């Protein structure tokens, strides 16, 4: 389908339009261009743009900036939270939704989505009010929507909103990872397409200003992965695609180490490019790669703060109990830094809490005792904030026992130290989340990122590390994850593939 035909379909009188688009084929451009035009026809209503990731929110924000304040851009989770907050009493949800939603690794978001979906089904007047406020809704990254998130959007459609949906089943990397779940979601996507007018974007525009051959190669790689075939790396590679060998020889399960022979060309790629996004499949590997490059390359932390969410829950449950708060601090520091563990610092911190930090001591124990006193003096979110601020100061000063602690996720630690500025921990977490949503930060020129955090972003040069069968098996989820990683780069792509256990998704000579 031509770009012009898709643009015409978006502007048609069809209430539901579904556009399937591979990465880089212009769905954001089409959505933003349509939004620019339609916002002036909505009377007192607003245009609502929903995405699944905050990275996509940032891209839409930059491309619709001139459309004015009548464009609201948020994640589908944020819309659901907005509804849940307004009706938290009938939904039997707490008022402090932002921090509550992060309980048990984000299970609160799922609970909230299920309750809001059911509420809109049984309270159509609320759905109609939302449809009047948002008469046109653009949904991006829709393949990642859960059943309940989908039901929320469909409730607004049934209430009269015109809905424009963009998605790509091959970029489904959120939700359950099993093949059964992936097939179920694909069936749901196909059923959705049957409900409205459909179109498809097929021209790889992302590479127009970069390397067009790279774009065509990535489109072919996508077709192979979708058909269940491996990507052939043996021949016909564009000059912008480099394959480097890299066998991980680290003896640590979570470590990453290469021989000098394998490392040299990888380091050369890093030196040769002023911009480079280094991608890894899992957070553990991202952390290992930060150590691999002696912590000279920052980690792209994106918007979400999983460790901070867990800390907030620990503070809420341990209010007034210094020992419980100390366990929360230990777990948090273990998530954001290397060299801070129960054995290295945590056990001594608990000991100091239990003995009232009263025994005279020196060196590392004295520094840990200083942290303990923050919690003993004020066993609240303020004391936790002060304890973390003290830890950060000790690390920055290279104090005894803290000179080996290396902070990998600085933004998350910084946010945690600011929690104490607010009246309560929930208020603080909500306000910090709100500020991140509106600040829309961008990654540094050279950066390490998980594939999930990079989704919705693009870059000139990308390098995908450790393309082995542990990181990329033969599942449908792994195929989608690999495709999302490959499609970030506009000018050059480097794959680091081990010869010992390469991914079955790659065909090597």
């Amino acid at each position: 389908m031509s770009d012009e035909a898709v643009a015409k379909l978006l502007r048609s009188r069809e209430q539901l339009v579904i556009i399937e688009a591979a990465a880089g084929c212009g769905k954001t451009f089409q959505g933003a261009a349509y939004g620019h035009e339609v916002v002036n026809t909505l009377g007192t209503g607003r245009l609502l743009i929903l995405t699944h990731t905050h990275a996509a929110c940032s891209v839409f924000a930059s491309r619709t900036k001139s459309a004015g304040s009548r464009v609201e851009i948020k994640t589908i989770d944020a819309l659901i939270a907005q509804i849940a907050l307004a009706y938290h009493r009938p939904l039997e949800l707490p008022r402090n939704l932002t921090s509550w939603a992060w309980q048990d690794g984000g299970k609160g978001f799922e609970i909230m989505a299920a309750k809001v979906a059911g509420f809109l089904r049984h309270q159509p007047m609320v759905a109609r009010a939302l449809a009047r406020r948002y008469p046109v809704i653009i949904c991006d990254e829709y393949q990642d929507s859960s059943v309940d998130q989908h039901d929320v959007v469909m409730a607004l459609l049934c209430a009269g909103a015109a809905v424009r949906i963009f998605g790509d089943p091959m970029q489904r990397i959120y939700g359950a990872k099993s093949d059964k779940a992936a097939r179920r979601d694909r069936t749901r996507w196909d059923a959705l397409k049957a409900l409205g007018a459909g179109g498809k974007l097929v021209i790889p525009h992302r590479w127009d200003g970069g390397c067009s051959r790279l774009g065509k190669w990535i489109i072919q790689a996508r077709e192979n992965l979708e058909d269940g075939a491996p990507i052939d790396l043996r021949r016909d590679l564009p000059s912008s695609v480099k394959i480097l060998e890299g066998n991980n020889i680290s003896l640590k399960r979570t470590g990453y180490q290469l021989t000098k022979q394998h490392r040299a060309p990888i380091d050369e790629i890093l030196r040769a490019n002023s911009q480079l996004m280094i991608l890894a499949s899992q957070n553990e590997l991202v952390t290992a790669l930060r150590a691999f490059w002696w912590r000279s390359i920052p980690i792209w932390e994106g918007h979400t703060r999983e460790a901070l969410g867990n800390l907030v829950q620990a503070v809420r449950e341990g209010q007034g109990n210094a020992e419980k708060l100390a366990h929360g601090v230990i777990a948090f520091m273990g998530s954001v830094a290397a060299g801070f563990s129960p054995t290295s610092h945590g056990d001594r911190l608990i000991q100091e809490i239990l003995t009232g930090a009263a025994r005279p001591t020196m060196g590392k124990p004295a520094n840990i005792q200083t942290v303990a006193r923050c919690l003993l003096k004020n066993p609240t979110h303020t004391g936790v904030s002060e304890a973390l601020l003290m830890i950060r100061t000790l690390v920055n000063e290279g104090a005894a026992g803290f000179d080996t602690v290396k902070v990998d996720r600085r933004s998350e630690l910084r946010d945690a130290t600011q929690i104490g500025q607010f009246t309560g921990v929930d208020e603080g977490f909500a306000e910090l989340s709100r500020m991140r949503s509106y600040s829309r930060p961008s990654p540094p020129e050279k950066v390490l990122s998980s594939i999930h955090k990079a989704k919705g972003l693009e870059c000139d040069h990308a390098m995908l590390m450790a393309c082995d069968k542990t990181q990329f098996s033969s599942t449908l989820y792994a195929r989608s994850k690999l495709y999302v990683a490959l499609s970030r780069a506009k000018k050059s792509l480097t794959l680091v593939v081990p010869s010992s256990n390469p991914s079955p998704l790659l065909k090597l000579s």
Side-chain angles (χ1 to χ4, degrees), residues 343-455:
T343 53
S344 67
H345 296 79
D347 293 344
R348 179 70 190 213
L349 178 59
I350 297 299
Q351 180 184 332
E352 292 294 341
I353 293 289
L354 295 176
T355 59
R359 183 180 302 173
T361 186
M362 298 176 61
K364 178 180 177 180
N367 289 328
I368 294 176
Q369 193 175 74
T370 303
V371 176
R373 285 173 179 154
C374 295
L375 299 172
L376 288 166
K377 180 181 177 181
N378 195 350
T380 67
H381 70 290
T382 303
V384 168
S385 179
E386 292 170 352
L388 290 170
L389 188 59
M390 178 58 66
I391 291 173
R392 188 175 70 174
T393 300
L394 293 168
V395 171
N396 290 341
E397 293 177 351
F402 288 80
D403 51 334
T404 57
V405 177
K406 307 298 181 184
V407 178
D408 291 322
R409 290 170 172 79
R410 294 183 178 275
S411 295
E412 193 151 16
L413 177 56
R414 181 199 62 221
D415 285 355
T417 63
Q418 295 175 347
I419 286 285
Q421 300 173 11
F422 299 90
T423 304
V425 64
D426 294 310
E427 177 195 343
F429 187 75
E431 180 60 18
L432 291 170
S433 298
R434 187 193 66 80
M435 289 191 292
R436 281 198 307 277
S437 296
Y438 285 100
S439 64
R440 306 193 192 282
S442 300
E445 290 297 300
K446 291 186 178 181
V447 69
L448 290 161
S449 176
S450 68
I451 295 170
H452 285 78
K453 296 271 188 180
K455 191 170 184 295

Side-chain angles (χ1 to χ4, degrees), residues 58-349:
S58 298
V59 175
F60 266 105
S62 65
R63 297 194 184 186
T64 59
K65 188 182 299 183
S66 60
S69 59
R70 289 174 58 208
V71 178
E72 291 189 25
I73 305 169
K74 59 189 70 181
T75 63
I76 181 72
D77 277 334
L79 173 67
I80 290 170
Q82 174 186 330
I83 300 168
L85 182 60
Y87 298 98
H88 68 279
R89 286 182 178 174
L91 290 173
E92 298 181 342
L93 289 171
R95 185 171 179 80
N96 55 320
L97 285 172
T98 303
S99 57
W100 171 85
W102 283 104
Q103 66 177 351
D104 300 326
K107 289 293 184 182
F109 287 106
E110 298 176 14
I111 296 170
M112 191 160 50
K115 284 179 174 284
V116 168
F119 181 71
L120 293 179
R121 278 195 302 271
H122 293 100
Q123 300 292 336
M125 61 180 293
V126 176
R128 287 195 294 270
L130 287 165
R132 285 194 297 271
R133 179 177 175 83
Y134 305 118
V136 175
I137 303 172
I138 298 173
C139 300
D140 190 28
E141 304 177 318
Y142 204 76
Q143 74 282 340
D144 285 313
S145 297
S146 68
V147 172
D148 291 319
Q149 290 170 338
H150 169 70
D151 286 347
V152 168
V153 174
M154 290 299 100
L156 301 182
L157 174 73
C158 293
V163 178
R164 301 295 184 259
I165 288 175
F166 294 88
D168 176 13
M170 276 301 294
Q171 294 188 69
R172 175 202 174 276
I173 61 172
Y174 290 92
K177 300 178 181 180
S178 68
D179 280 3
K180 181 179 179 180
R183 292 191 181 97
R184 183 181 63 238
D185 287 348
R186 184 58 178 259
T187 299
R188 179 158 54 90
W189 172 258
D190 291 339
L192 173 64
K193 289 195 295 183
L195 295 177
K200 194 169 187 177
L201 290 167
V202 295
I203 302 173
H205 292 291
R206 176 173 293 170
W207 296 272
D208 288 346
C211 177
S212 58
R213 281 201 65 203
L214 174 60
K216 293 176 182 176
W217 182 83
I218 290 173
I219 291 294
Q220 181 59 55
R222 180 189 187 278
E223 292 178 3
N224 286 14
L225 291 170
E226 190 170 28
D227 292 341
I231 300 170
D232 195 342
L233 301 180
R234 299 173 301 174
R235 60 179 72 90
D236 299 328
L237 292 177
S239 58
S240 54
V241 175
K242 291 183 173 62
I243 311 301
L244 300 179
E245 184 177 355
N247 292 317
N248 185 7
I249 59 173
S250 175
L251 299 179
K252 296 181 179 179
R253 183 184 64 83
T254 58
Y256 191 81
Q257 185 179 352
L258 300 177
T259 63
K260 290 183 178 179
Q261 179 185 1
H262 286 172
R263 178 174 187 139
I266 294 173
D267 284 342
E268 180 56 33
I269 295 288
L270 182 63
R271 285 192 295 269
N273 293 288
S274 58
Q275 179 280 316
L276 183 66
M277 181 177 285
I278 303 168
L279 297 169
S281 172
Q282 299 174 4
N283 287 328
E284 280 186 350
L285 181 55
V286 172
T287 301
L289 290 172
R290 179 152 162 81
F292 177 75
W293 274 294
W294 302 287
R295 292 184 164 75
S296 61
I297 307 174
I299 293 174
W300 171 236
E301 298 178 54
H303 176 88
T304 56
R305 298 285 186 267
E306 292 91 344
L308 182 56
N310 292 333
L311 176 64
V312 167
Q313 184 177 351
V315 171
R316 192 187 306 117
E317 295 173 352
Q319 193 84 347
N321 186 318
E323 183 183 357
K324 287 186 177 180
L325 295 180
H327 282 293
V329 168
I330 295 164
F332 175 79
M333 285 303 303
S335 297
V336 302
F340 194 106
S341 67
T343 53
S344 67
H345 296 79
D347 293 344
R348 179 70 190 213
L349 178 59

